[in-house]
Amino acid sequence: MSVQTTAVPTGTTVRPRQRRVPPAVWLIGPSVIFMTLLLGWPVVEGILQAFQNDQGFTLDFVVRMVQDPYFWPAVRNTLLLIVVMIPLQFAFAIGMALLLRTNPRLHKAHFFVWAIPLALSDLAAGLVWLAIFNDRGYLNSALAWLGLQGNSWLAYDNQTTMFMCVLIAELWRATSLVLVIVVAGLQGIPKDYDEAAQVFGATFWQRLRHVTLPLLKPSLQVALILRTILAFQTFAVAQALTGQNFPLVVGETYRWYTGLQNPNVAAALALVILVVSMLTSIFYLRALRDKSQGGKR
Amino acid sequence: MNDVAVDTAPLRRQKRNRVWLQASCIAVSLFMLIPIYLISLAALSTRESLNEFPLSLLPSNVSFETLNGFLGSTGIFGALGNSLIVGLGTLLLSALIGVPAGYALARFAFPGKEPYQLFLLFTRALPIVVLSVPLARLFLTVDIYDTTYGVILLHTALALPTTILISASVFLSVPIDVEEAARVFGCSPYGAFMKVVMPMALPGIAAASIFTFVMSWNEVLGASILTLDHRTLPAQVLTSLADSPLAYRFAGGFALVIPSIIFIALMRRYLTNMWGSTIR
């Protein structure tokens, strides 16, 4: 129809006429309102809960939280789990996505199988692995069939094997989430780039390092932030597998809230998760964005 | 290498690579499948055979005794229905609110973009335990406590940041040129979006929606705090699991696994479509 609109799309360089609300506001507005109502208010309420008692401002709940014998183990376990799990998970997910990209035989069936855990709740995953790792479970049975001595993998004095169990269950459950995001991201990358690099003699690792990964950055960024934040909230897997024996911060929050009926300390614990997740997200945003924008270094 | 007339080494190497690729695919598939096979085995065994020690790794005496006991317990089927309603409601509501926001995030430079992104991350980082309790009080006052609507609202709020961020990254992967081309040829901004951008972004948006549904399907804590008689399936299982024997837990785990497999199988055509159709 009319050509006058063509001045607008160039965006920032050409100033559009300013007579109405910018479209971005209309697009973003509903989400802001919705989330402020449903999340903002409870958060303010939660923060108040962590620092307030009947008399007013207090640090009692924070002190109680820190003095709890389960607190530092929970923090340590949570951090350890994340530090070990996230790199493994991303290596696996990227590897799996690249495997699928080579169009192996039955790749559709493989993708289907690899996507199954995507729809599994962490509660279900915990129960699944409980069937394997418990004292009379399938792992020990398999070992017994092989004539080997079993092990009580989930016993409370076996911190290392307990950690391994939770780690394996979480890897099994949550890697598909990263996989699907990476696959969706890979689809957005035209194969030409990779083929061009191949024509110019780049090896597999060079192509991965200099072509695929940089182009995947937006997807990886989303996946990283998501997975890390969700990993801080790991709860039901450990709960189903080990109960109280392998404390994680969210598990502690849940214990203080339901078991010990103390929402204030629970709120303080939740704040810890909140603050740490926020700091991590900001770190990722800065670290990954700065390099990806503004072209080549 | 040019001086060699026929060099078969690269060919052989390629063949060997193919074999390795196949083997790794099969290994990963086995890692994903074996636990599911084992939980099915556990859920389909009799209680007596579960009490033996070296558990049989092959199906010996299949029985629905444990599973029937689980399914027969009150509220399981209703909970399944609730889970479906809540999941679909969450999917629709969050796509309706989230996809436009994701588009804005990907395409427009607007004041407050950075704070908005931080706001999204901030909301995603909120532990559900904290949110649900004040929300339960709020829902009681507006009289939507113990309804599926209340859970849909909470789940949408929880899923929105993810939907927005994923759809933003999807829209980022659609080249801006095609949109500008459509505009040059006379499309309105809305028309350009619907006719050009949306078809290209749809696989990614579908991935986001699938994830939204799954998030709602799997969420336990919020659902169990916000409802009493209208629990979703995981919430129902969680509350009845607390005082149950191992056999019952395995049946519960199995019952939670089966819908997920069906769900992925239903979505498979879409997943594989999205897989097959390269954006371009």
Side-chain angles (χ1 to χ4, degrees):
Chain A
M1 311 283 173
S2 65
V3 194
Q4 70 197 35
T5 45
T6 48
V8 181
T10 34
T12 47
T13 51
V14 180
R15 271 177 77 85
R17 276 168 295 173
Q18 289 198 326
R19 61 193 158 102
R20 12 169 237 170
V21 187
V25 172
W26 286 111
L27 295 172
I28 282 185
S31 62
V32 174
I33 294 167
F34 189 87
M35 286 191 293
T36 311
L37 280 180
L38 268 133
L39 301 176
W41 184 77
V43 168
V44 173
E45 191 86 354
I47 293 175
L48 291 180
Q49 222 170 14
F51 293 111
Q52 254 179 5
N53 59 12
D54 299 336
Q55 280 84 48
F57 179 82
T58 173
L59 282 175
D60 284 358
F61 302 120
V62 180
V63 172
R64 257 186 101 177
M65 166 183 86
V66 176
Q67 283 173 350
D68 186 72
Y70 281 106
F71 177 72
W72 290 111
V75 171
R76 192 202 60 205
N77 288 342
T78 308
L79 291 180
L80 191 66
L81 192 65
I82 286 170
V83 168
V84 179
M85 181 171 63
I86 299 287
L88 273 179
Q89 203 153 51
F90 272 74
F92 277 139
I94 294 173
M96 284 152 74
L98 291 175
L99 271 182
L100 284 177
R101 199 166 66 153
T102 62
N103 275 333
R105 214 163 289 180
L106 300 174
H107 70 270
K108 287 185 179 177
H110 283 304
F111 185 49
F112 167 56
V113 169
W114 301 354
I116 289 175
L118 183 68
L120 280 179
S121 63
D122 40 359
L123 180 63
L127 292 170
V128 166
W129 286 92
L130 180 68
I132 295 172
F133 285 133
N134 81 72
D135 284 357
R136 304 162 64 82
Y138 287 104
L139 180 57
N140 279 348
S141 301
L143 289 176
W145 287 116
L146 293 173
L148 294 169
Q149 181 66 45
N151 194 346
S152 33
W153 307 100
L154 298 172
Y156 80 102
D157 50 348
N158 273 343
Q159 284 288 327
T160 317
T161 55
M162 219 148 56
F163 174 76
M164 295 298 291
C165 294
V166 174
L167 180 73
I168 291 171
E170 268 294 286
L171 272 180
W172 180 74
R173 181 186 72 86
T175 303
S176 6
L177 167 61
V178 187
L179 173 72
V180 166
I181 297 177
V182 171
V183 164
L186 271 181
Q187 285 181 337
I189 303 174
K191 271 200 164 173
D192 310 15
Y193 296 146
D194 200 50
E195 280 161 7
Q198 207 163 4
V199 167
F200 285 111
T203 64
F204 171 76
W205 293 111
Q206 283 173 326
R207 278 179 285 137
L208 183 65
R209 166 84 179 76
H210 295 290
V211 179
T212 312
L213 286 183
L215 287 167
L216 262 182
K217 234 168 209 168
S219 311
L220 288 180
Q221 185 181 11
V222 170
L224 248 178
I225 294 173
L226 252 179
R227 262 316 294 154
T228 312
I229 288 173
L230 291 177
F232 277 116
Q233 299 179 20
T234 306
F235 159 65
V237 165
Q239 200 78 14
L241 276 174
T242 69
Q244 199 53 60
N245 294 335
F246 189 76
L248 293 171
V249 182
V250 174
E252 284 306 287
T253 314
Y254 178 71
R255 184 173 68 97
W256 276 98
Y257 185 77
T258 55
L260 304 174
Q261 303 272 327
N262 193 333
N264 302 88
V265 179
L269 276 157
L271 273 186
V272 172
I273 302 164
L274 189 71
V275 169
V276 179
S277 325
M278 282 312 299
L279 291 178
T280 327
S281 312
I282 293 169
F283 169 75
Y284 281 152
L285 274 179
R286 293 244 179 281
L288 284 166
R289 176 161 342 92
D290 289 345
K291 280 180 223 148
S292 66
Q293 282 178 354
K296 286 273 148 211
R297 270 148 228 252
Chain B
M1 323 265 163
N2 292 338
D3 45 313
V4 183
V6 180
D7 183 11
T8 53
L11 252 179
R12 265 181 286 132
R13 199 177 333 128
Q14 198 180 6
K15 241 182 198 166
R16 209 170 49 228
N17 277 345
R18 294 302 304 177
V19 172
W20 273 113
L21 286 177
Q22 298 291 357
S24 344
C25 282
I26 291 169
V28 176
S29 287
L30 283 179
F31 174 65
M32 293 297 175
L33 279 179
I34 286 176
I36 292 177
Y37 164 72
L38 290 176
I39 190 78
S40 320
L41 197 59
L44 294 174
S45 309
T46 55
R47 268 168 199 243
E48 297 83 70
S49 57
L50 272 180
N51 284 335
E52 289 163 16
F53 174 56
L55 289 166
S56 165
L57 296 177
L58 298 167
S60 48
N61 40 1
V62 175
S63 126
F64 290 91
E65 176 199 335
T66 339
L67 209 53
N68 277 337
F70 173 78
L71 287 175
S73 50
T74 44
I76 292 295
F77 279 103
L80 190 68
N82 289 335
S83 270
L84 277 175
I85 294 170
V86 169
L88 288 175
T90 304
L91 190 159
L92 288 177
L93 194 55
S94 65
L96 206 66
I97 305 176
V99 171
Y103 181 72
L105 212 51
R107 280 291 190 269
F108 297 100
F110 54 91
K113 186 173 178 176
E114 191 96 341
Y116 179 69
Q117 274 174 320
L118 284 180
F119 172 67
L120 288 183
L121 292 164
F122 177 77
T123 53
R124 190 62 204 87
L126 300 175
I128 304 160
V129 197
V130 183
L131 294 176
S132 332
V133 185
L135 270 184
R137 267 197 274 164
L138 177 69
F139 284 179
L140 271 170
T141 49
V142 285
D143 209 22
I144 52 169
Y145 181 77
D146 196 19
T147 60
T148 44
Y149 304 114
V151 186
I152 288 176
L153 287 179
L154 171 70
H155 284 182
T156 304
L158 289 174
L160 254 186
T162 318
T163 315
I164 296 172
L165 286 176
I166 295 184
S167 47
S169 82
V170 168
F171 285 126
L172 270 180
S173 71
V174 176
I176 204 164
D177 313 12
V178 295
E179 204 175 342
E180 282 169 358
R183 296 290 299 280
V184 168
F185 285 110
C187 272
S188 64
Y190 177 75
F193 175 77
M194 285 315 276
K195 289 191 191 128
V196 179
V197 181
M198 209 48 194
M200 294 170 90
L202 213 53
I205 303 294
S209 300
I210 291 168
F211 179 63
T212 304
F213 185 95
V214 164
M215 225 149 81
S216 157
W217 182 269
N218 291 338
E219 200 280 318
V220 185
L221 278 176
S224 50
I225 291 176
L226 289 179
T227 52
L228 289 173
D229 298 326
H230 295 86
R231 291 219 152 101
T232 60
L233 190 67
Q236 183 72 31
V237 170
L238 181 78
T239 42
S240 51
L241 270 179
D243 40 15
S244 51
L246 271 183
Y248 189 90
R249 294 191 212 182
F250 296 156
F254 181 69
L256 279 175
V257 167
I258 285 301
S260 338
I261 295 176
I262 295 172
F263 170 72
I264 292 284
L266 285 178
M267 292 309 297
R268 186 178 59 134
R269 197 187 300 150
Y270 204 73
L271 283 173
T272 46
N273 270 356
M274 142 193 162
W275 176 242
S277 67
T278 37
I279 298 179
R280 254 206 120 184

